[in-house]
């Protein structure tokens, strides 16, 4: 059946020739998957470096696919962006994260914050701020407990509009975080202008930092810059105790990484949270 569909698509779109079976199937399956509840959120703990305590979680989407098993967002988010499906999908993510936060409140996991990733495609949408406001208020969550993770790609199209949107989001009370800093075309000039509270240093930053003095110095300096601009620094992708020790010595605020935990289903996150207070 899927194969037949694939052959017919070829008639209309020659570029489909290059699209492998899995990709075609994933793209065609996005909408039914949302309707059938096949998307789920995993949560990765965010840990305060000084206290060693979990204070929040980043929501990371997964697709529980009937044929392919758990599919990584790296395999379907680009497809969802290409087709525009990222708009309803992104709304689903935010709503699901809000519901999870409420549920955790009821289970004694207090005062957690939840981070949600926003795609640059969502930024090109006129009603983004209104939509976010509506979802958060419908779900009855304090906006200060929602963090939106953005990448510098949102500045590519129209920096002026983007800035206006960011300020409007700040007025809602949500927190903003600049994700993947240190990759691609990261520029210090963004830090001058954008109203963010958190800077997330990408995992490429700390990869090999243990053996690389220059990397350590850049890391150290960036933390000073961020702190002077009233931002907190989150280091991503921390995998070893040696990395943690270096990060700690340079006054980074918090970490996320396999050292503490990979992204996990909500029930596992609850166990991790409860273990630390036991
Ligand atoms: P990201 O936002 O940079 O998320 C961090 C990624 O690094 C996650 O991959 C996480 O599993 C991985 N990671 C965390 N700790 C470590 C570590 O110690 N070592 C290594 N090597 N990796 C670590 P994941 O979950 O596969 O997500 C990949 C990307 O997909 C995310 O990168 C984000 O850009 C995108 N994504 C995920 N969920 C969503 C979503 O709901 N909406 C949108 N628009 N994008 C999403
Ligand atoms: Ca992120
Ligand atoms: Ca990241
Ligand atoms: Ca990323």
């Amino acid at each position: 059946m899927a194969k037949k569909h694939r052959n017919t698509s070829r008639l209309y779109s020659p570029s489909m020739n290059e699209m492998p079976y899995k990709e075609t199937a994933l793209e065609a399956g996005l909408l039914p998957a949302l309707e059938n509840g096949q998307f789920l959120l995993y949560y990765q703990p965010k840990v305060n470096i000084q206290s060693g305590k979990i204070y929040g979680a980043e929501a990371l989407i997964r697709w529980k696919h009937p044929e392919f098993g758990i599919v990584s967002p790296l395999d379907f988010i680009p497809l969802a962006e290409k087709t525009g499906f990222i708009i309803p999908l992104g709304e689903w993510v935010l709503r699901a994260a809000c519901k999870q936060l409420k549920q955790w409140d009821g289970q004694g996991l207090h005062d957690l914050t939840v981070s949600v990733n926003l795609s640059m495609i969502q930024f090109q949408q006129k009603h983004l701020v209104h939509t976010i406001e509506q979802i958060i208020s419908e779900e009855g969550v304090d906006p200060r407990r929602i963090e939106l993770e953005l990448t510098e790609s949102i500045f590519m199209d129209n920096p002026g509009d983007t800035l206006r949107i960011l300020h409007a989001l700040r007025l809602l009370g949500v927190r903003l975080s600049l994700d993947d800093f240190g990759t691609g075309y990261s520029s210090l000039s963004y830090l001058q202008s954008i109203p963010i509270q958190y800077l997330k240093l990408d995992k490429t930053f700390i990869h090999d930092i243990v053996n690389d003095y220059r990397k350590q110095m850049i890391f150290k300096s960036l933390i000073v810059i961020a702190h002077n601009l009233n931002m907190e620094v989150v280091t991503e992708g921390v995998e070893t105790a040696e990395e943690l020790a270096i990060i700690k010595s340079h006054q980074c605020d918090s970490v996320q990484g396999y050292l503490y935990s990979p992204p996990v289903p909500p029930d596992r996150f609850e166990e991790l949270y409860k273990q630390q207070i036991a």
Side-chain angles (χ1 to χ4, degrees), residues 18-157:
E18 282 126 54
M19 235 169 121
Y21 166 69
K22 185 174 176 183
E23 210 175 310
T24 314
L26 290 179
E27 187 175 316
L30 285 166
L31 178 59
L34 187 60
E35 286 166 346
N36 297 325
Q38 290 171 10
F39 292 109
L40 40 123
L41 295 181
Y42 276 17
Y43 293 88
Q44 186 175 36
K46 291 190 166 185
V47 176
N48 179 288
I49 284 199
Q50 295 312 323
S51 69
K53 294 258 159 66
I54 297 173
Y55 67 91
E58 177 176 1
L60 293 153
I61 196 169
R62 301 289 183 263
W63 180 352
K64 197 171 174 191
H65 194 281
E67 184 179 352
F68 306 121
I70 300 280
V71 182
S72 157
L74 299 173
D75 291 337
F76 67 85
I77 291 288
L79 300 173
E81 288 177 330
K82 190 179 78 179
T83 57
F85 187 71
I86 192 70
I87 302 298
L89 190 61
E91 289 173 15
W92 177 85
V93 169
L94 178 60
R95 197 177 288 281
C98 287
K99 288 189 195 299
Q100 185 62 69
L101 203 52
K102 293 283 279 189
Q103 201 179 321
W104 281 337
D105 280 345
Q107 289 173 250
L109 283 75
H110 293 300
D111 302 323
L112 289 171
T113 61
V114 169
S115 317
V116 166
N117 292 283
L118 284 196
S119 157
M120 69 173 285
I121 309 295
Q122 291 176 274
F123 262 83
Q124 295 161 349
Q125 197 212 7
K126 278 225 157 53
H127 305 294
L128 176 73
V129 179
H130 177 69
T131 305
I132 289 177
E133 178 174 30
Q134 203 170 12
I135 292 173
I136 293 176
S137 89
E138 278 169 10
E139 297 303 325
V141 166
D142 181 345
R144 286 170 300 186
R145 297 175 61 198
I146 301 292
E147 182 179 325
L148 304 175
E149 298 198 0
L150 325 158
T151 59
E152 290 154 324
S153 62
I154 59 169
F155 287 101
M156 273 172 13
D157 253 16

Side-chain angles (χ1 to χ4, degrees), residues 179-180 202 236:
D179 201 358
D180 298 348
D202 189 72
E236 295 191 272

Side-chain angles (χ1 to χ4, degrees), residues 155 157-165:
F155 287 101
D157 253 16
N158 192 331
D161 278 355
T162 297
L163 265 184
R164 243 176 296 123
I165 295 172

